[in-house]
Amino acid sequence: MGLERVFADGPAFVPYVAAGDPSYEESLEYVEALERGGADVIELGLPFSEPIAEGSTIQEAVVRSLEAGMTPDRYFEFVEDLDVDVPLVCMTYYNLVAQYTNDETGERGPRAFAERAAEVGIEGFVVVDLPAEEAGPLREACDEFGLDLVFIIAPTTKGDRLEQMREHVSGYVYVQARLGVTGAREDVSDQTEESLARVADWDVPKAVGFGIKTGEHAERIVAAGADGIIVGSALVDIIAAGADGEYPFTETAQRLESKARELKEGALAGAEKRAATEQSD
Amino acid sequence: MSENHEFGAFGGRHVPEPMQEPLAQLADAFETVAKTDEFREEFRSILSTYAGRPTPIYHAENLSERYGAEIYLKREDLLHGGAHKINNAVGQALMAEKAGKSRIIAETGAGQHGTATAMVGALFDLDTEIYMGAKDVERQRMNVFRMRLMGAEVNEVTRGGAGLADAVDAALEDFVENVDDTHYLVGSVVGPDPFPRMVREFQSVIGREAREQFLERTGELPDAAVACVGGGSNAIGLFHAFRDDDVAFYGGEGGGEGSDSDRHAAPLDDGHEDVIHGMKTRVIDDDTEVHSVSAGLDYPGVGPEHAMFREMGRAEYRAITDDEALAAFRALSEDEGIIPALETAHGLAMAKRVAEETDHETILVNLSGRGDKDMETAAEQFDLS
């Protein structure tokens, strides 16, 4: 059983950060702080220089990480250096997957990338710009090395694309709560229930993301039926403020941990609320 | 999804899921709206009465003597706005209007496409926002003023290299965020499907006219068709009508300091296959800094159809250095009294190479734009003040 297992015992909290943001060493601490705060799976971004549809928060994280020297090979070392027990998912762009070359064998492409990822302990991928109809080679590589392949469904996803994703998806499905670019919001979308309804009969857990910023948001999303919540920008904002010198590095880690705890507790509260509603029905 | 693969192994729709549906809708609209006789007639009429089509072809005899082959120029520099960009802008604005969009956005490098977009924004009464790298705002100030005067908002992009690629990123993000009321008026044959084939459709008027004019003028087809290639829309626009003819195609890329240097914008001459801006195509290598003396060619990728033409051997592409382009810029100005855009000068320099290195006797060059916007660079380079 792959990533699905982490959703089995209640709502999962899935944080995202870019590996190596703002530096290799600091980032190791931050990822570990997220685990302490209650992360169930961590989406660890492998930064790409030409991201599409990311808000400024994530874009700037990507720039900080790249400027600090992050590369795919360095990323895999980073994962090896991490001292965490929760599963890690590599979130990236297809360019880096397709261009990846195994220096020893000379093999290039999705299989080489998946092999190396599995070797360092990655359990799955989210490749944001990989259309489902072109996912075949990566799906095969994931099967070969026992990895999950997560897809993102948007409020506009329908028809053939929805069916193709259903066919290829494993681990969990990333349900994007609204249209637009990534970024923390003051309010979360009301499209959550609608979006969840479209994947209700899929046999993978449904994790909802995009714009979640507070424990209260997390609670509402889980109460609306999500099996997990994905939070990126609200955490990266903390790292960004730390990188800007607003507070020292140890405090950044503490703030991440307590933000993680707030989100996880929100998710748990949402699950209780849902259970109560279901009982009263 | 066969339309996604019309450029062989290149092209496609490599974008995050939220952009898939809007692009699918745009592709449908393109197939159903833009290919009707009614649309084509309206398009033709605006190009004729507003943009100044048809443009002539001109036999540049003085330049022919200098280069040693018969050079014919397709005078797209005479169009409204001073470049071929208006063809595409009119086509797409018409599509946006038919689709009920109230707002258009665009990226621009040299400012030519931004200017064309500002024109059609005014013409069709659409809110218009232009993304332009801060580096380009600085070196193309006149176009910034022109855009603003026509009512467009010019958004200065400071991220990354503050160039064309960064402006494309910013525009794509705006499009994702505002897809309900906004049409992204892409300026070249780049980006995810359907943009490359849509822009080709609207630019292919160049080659259709030129083919007919050349035949009428000489009784034959040219031996070679030549154009500069940044994203590659003026080149595709010229080539498309000749694709089944025995006419050789040559493209001059922004070669910067040379394709063996680490500062150029010539992914066809010296690059690798990659995914960028939603398409699979050729891109310059990571250790190369994207650079060209011409802002409009200063782009790390290229239209997927050019990548396909290169692979098939249908067209040849060469990196034209800044120095070669500047020499051609000066040559056309002195010999013919026509000041080309710096982008276009790369096509002229390519024609010079074709004249010198091949036995082609008649060469049709797309004179894609005029050089008024480049006078400050020229004044510096040639000590004109």
Side-chain angles (χ1 to χ4, degrees):
Chain A
M1 202 62 193
L3 293 166
E4 296 169 27
R5 70 182 187 280
V6 301
F7 296 83
D9 303 324
F13 164 50
V14 187
Y16 162 93
V17 289
D21 170 27
S23 73
Y24 191 95
E25 294 301 328
E26 286 166 288
S27 186
L28 286 172
E29 294 290 332
Y30 296 163
V31 175
E32 288 161 16
L34 291 172
E35 184 185 41
R36 286 197 299 277
D40 298 290
V41 185
I42 296 172
E43 287 184 355
L44 194 57
L46 164 55
F48 174 52
S49 56
E50 304 281 344
I52 299 182
E54 300 285 9
S56 56
T57 301
I58 304 293
Q59 269 177 31
E60 284 159 18
V62 163
V63 169
R64 285 191 299 269
S65 168
L66 290 171
E67 280 179 355
M70 188 50 73
T71 63
D73 281 323
R74 190 104 174 101
Y75 176 88
F76 291 130
E77 283 168 31
F78 181 90
V79 174
E80 282 185 316
D81 283 346
L82 265 179
D83 184 17
V84 295
D85 294 325
V86 296
L88 298 170
V89 169
C90 170
M91 186 160 188
T92 193
Y93 281 76
Y94 196 63
N95 182 296
L96 297 180
V97 177
Q99 300 296 327
Y100 184 77
T101 306
N102 181 321
D103 285 338
E104 281 166 33
T105 62
E107 187 187 354
R108 188 158 172 268
R111 191 183 172 279
F113 188 83
E115 183 177 22
R116 178 74 179 127
E119 211 171 83
V120 299
I122 296 279
E123 293 196 31
F125 298 126
V126 188
V127 183
V128 296
D129 61 342
L130 175 65
E133 74 259 27
E134 300 192 21
L138 184 60
R139 179 70 261 179
E140 272 174 39
C142 285
D143 289 342
E144 183 179 346
F145 298 104
L147 300 172
D148 282 316
L149 187 56
V150 174
F151 282 91
I152 301 175
I153 72 149
T156 49
T157 307
K158 58 183 186 188
D160 284 350
R161 283 199 319 282
L162 196 63
E163 281 312 305
Q164 277 163 341
M165 286 183 193
R166 180 184 193 154
E167 192 183 311
H168 287 307
V169 75
S170 67
Y172 58 95
V173 57
Y174 183 150
V175 179
Q176 191 179 305
R178 57 169 178 78
L179 279 178
V181 300
T182 54
R185 302 286 153 147
E186 290 313 316
D187 206 353
V188 283
S189 165
D190 297 324
Q191 289 170 309
T192 308
E193 283 184 58
E194 241 171 84
S195 301
L196 284 170
R198 284 183 305 135
V199 291
D201 60 346
W202 289 25
D203 57 6
V204 288
K206 292 92 189 166
V208 173
F210 256 56
I212 300 173
K213 189 180 173 183
T214 65
E216 194 260 323
H217 290 164
E219 182 179 333
R220 274 173 40 202
I221 298 273
V222 172
D227 299 312
I229 50 155
I230 302 173
V231 182
S233 298
L235 299 165
V236 174
D237 280 337
I238 295 173
I239 296 177
D244 279 349
E246 277 184 35
Y247 30 78
F249 148 74
T250 45
E251 193 183 329
T252 304
Q254 278 161 16
R255 280 175 185 248
L256 281 172
E257 185 179 335
S258 59
K259 187 55 149 179
R261 191 160 290 125
E262 172 193 333
L263 291 159
K264 174 71 186 184
E265 280 166 7
L268 289 169
E272 273 173 34
K273 209 183 232 179
R274 191 164 89 209
T277 325
E278 276 163 10
Q279 261 172 6
S280 68
D281 277 350
Chain B
M1 295 239 161
S2 60
E3 73 272 18
N4 280 0
H5 300 286
E6 89 167 67
F7 306 128
F10 302 99
R13 216 176 268 164
H14 296 265
V15 293
E17 182 51 33
M19 290 182 71
Q20 293 285 351
E21 186 57 28
L23 290 170
Q25 283 174 10
L26 186 60
D28 285 347
F30 174 57
E31 291 299 329
T32 53
V33 176
K35 295 192 171 171
T36 62
D37 289 345
E38 186 198 346
F39 183 97
R40 284 183 168 150
E41 180 48 36
E42 205 173 340
F43 179 51
R44 198 203 55 76
S45 164
I46 297 170
L47 287 184
S48 144
T49 59
Y50 179 76
R53 299 213 74 90
T55 60
I57 56 170
Y58 167 68
H59 185 193
E61 293 185 34
N62 298 332
L63 191 72
S64 298
E65 204 167 305
R66 184 195 283 254
Y67 284 176
E70 295 314 310
I71 309 284
Y72 290 80
L73 305 176
K74 177 61 174 165
R75 297 291 308 275
E76 295 294 292
D77 61 315
L78 296 177
L79 285 172
H80 178 45
H84 70 292
K85 295 291 186 187
I86 190 71
N87 302 323
N88 170 52
V90 167
Q92 288 201 49
L94 205 50
M95 275 196 58
E97 190 192 44
K98 305 272 180 224
K101 308 280 179 177
S102 59
R103 178 171 178 265
I104 50 177
I105 57 169
E107 85 295 340
T108 194
Q112 294 301 92
H113 174 57
T115 302
T117 304
M119 288 169 184
V120 296
L123 179 66
F124 288 86
D125 194 20
L126 299 163
D127 290 342
T128 306
E129 188 162 346
I130 308 296
Y131 290 92
M132 187 168 185
K135 194 169 80 178
D136 297 329
V137 168
E138 188 53 41
R139 60 181 168 176
Q140 302 288 350
R141 299 194 63 75
M142 285 302 147
N143 273 337
V144 175
F145 298 152
R146 292 207 283 174
M147 289 183 261
R148 287 186 177 142
L149 184 60
M150 290 182 282
E153 192 177 320
V154 179
N155 202 322
E156 208 168 312
V157 179
T158 53
R159 74 168 76 156
L164 180 54
D166 310 287
V168 172
D169 284 338
L172 279 170
E173 278 148 28
D174 182 319
F175 181 55
V176 175
E177 196 82 348
N178 300 298
V179 64
D180 287 344
D181 67 352
T182 298
H183 176 80
Y184 179 15
L185 209 157
V186 170
S188 191
V189 285
V190 298
D193 181 82
F195 289 121
R197 58 195 168 105
M198 196 163 81
V199 176
R200 179 185 69 193
E201 168 85 11
F202 298 137
Q203 290 293 4
S204 60
V205 62
I206 302 172
R208 273 200 308 280
E209 269 179 25
R211 191 175 185 281
E212 205 172 292
Q213 290 165 326
F214 202 95
L215 272 172
E216 195 175 301
R217 179 77 162 270
T218 69
E220 296 172 351
L221 291 174
D223 294 337
V226 180
C228 65
V229 177
S233 72
N234 93 82
I236 289 293
L238 178 67
F239 294 168
H240 194 61
F242 297 97
R243 67 196 180 284
D244 298 325
D245 296 324
D246 184 19
V247 174
F249 295 162
Y250 296 93
E253 295 188 276
E257 294 169 7
S259 58
D260 51 358
S261 79
D262 56 5
R263 293 188 80 220
H264 66 72
L268 293 165
D269 188 303
D270 177 41
H272 63 278
E273 284 180 24
D274 218 331
V275 176
I276 186 174
H277 293 143
M279 60 181 161
K280 186 164 182 206
T281 184
R282 286 181 68 86
V283 180
I284 58 170
D285 295 328
D286 287 344
D287 55 5
T288 305
E289 180 196 348
V290 59
H291 162 79
S292 169
V293 67
S294 115
L297 303 186
D298 204 349
Y299 180 65
V302 67
E305 192 166 9
H306 288 296
M308 180 185 76
F309 277 168
R310 176 191 171 277
E311 190 166 273
M312 291 164 61
R314 179 64 186 90
E316 284 185 39
Y317 301 90
R318 296 276 182 279
I320 299 296
T321 64
D322 290 350
D323 290 345
E324 283 178 277
L326 286 163
F329 179 91
R330 183 152 211 176
L332 189 72
S333 303
E334 287 179 359
D335 288 358
E336 304 287 348
I338 299 172
I339 302 173
L342 273 175
E343 291 75 17
T344 309
H346 289 71
L348 293 162
M350 185 72 218
K352 176 170 185 278
R353 283 212 207 169
V354 171
E356 287 169 359
E357 295 168 17
T358 73
D359 51 13
H360 298 312
E361 285 166 9
T362 53
I363 302 173
L364 173 64
V365 182
N366 191 359
L367 199 71
S368 53
R370 67 176 189 226
D372 307 39
K373 68 184 178 58
D374 297 311
M375 287 320 295
E376 279 186 34
T377 309
E380 252 169 58
Q381 294 284 338
F382 304 128
D383 197 17
L384 303 177
S385 45

